[in-house]
Amino acid sequence: MKRSILFAALLLVFFGLQAQEDVTFAAKPAGEYAAPVFSWEVTEYDFGKIQQNVPVTHEFKFQNTGSAPIIISKVKGSCGCTVTEYSKEPVLPGEWGKVKATFNAAAMGKFTKTVTVTANTEGGPVVLRFRGEVAKDV
């Protein structure tokens, strides 16, 4: 009697587990799960000529054109001369967010710097670029 009850319980557990729906992203065809999507106004910016040791700032704006909130986990400048700020709260579908880069040039001449944005979007990190020239006569 105990064996038949144990066997029936095992069968119920087995069939119960088989009936569960697989909800992983890999199990669904592309486009069938909620995904956040960055749509940037621009990903490159040219400051033109700037003055040495005078900080300049550009705000890179993006819209979430996906179907899930964008959550930015990390924003990193390519050097210590670049300070970043970004939208810390989740950016809901249809809403706008920003990544602000402030650059303080110590050396004269042309420059190109990057800001890498890591978020829960498809395609991996996004690299934003800015460039310009540090000149004496501005």
Side-chain angles (χ1 to χ4, degrees), residues 49-55 104-109 133-136 138:
K49 291 189 177 190
I50 65 169
Q51 189 174 354
Q52 187 176 19
N53 295 317
V54 176
N104 190 2
M108 300 295 288
E133 182 178 359
V134 182
K136 288 183 181 182
V138 179

Side-chain angles (χ1 to χ4, degrees), residues 89-131:
E89 298 297 317
V91 179
L92 301 176
E95 297 293 320
W96 288 85
K98 67 177 180 184
V99 173
K100 190 189 303 186
T102 301
F103 175 68
N104 190 2
M108 300 295 288
K110 292 185 177 187
F111 64 89
T112 299
K113 302 295 179 185
T114 62
V115 174
T116 304
V117 181
T118 305
N120 63 332
T121 56
E122 290 182 345
V126 174
V127 178
L128 307 172
R129 289 180 172 74
F130 59 89
R131 64 184 164 277

Side-chain angles (χ1 to χ4, degrees), residues 6 8 13 33 44 48-49 56 61-63 65-67 73 75 80 83 99 101 105 109 113 119-120 123 132 135 137:
L6 180 61
V13 169
Y33 56 88
E44 294 189 17
K49 291 189 177 190
V56 291
K61 295 179 183 176
F62 65 89
Q63 184 176 26
T65 56
S67 55
S73 57
V75 175
V83 178
V99 173
K113 302 295 179 185
N120 63 332
D137 303 326

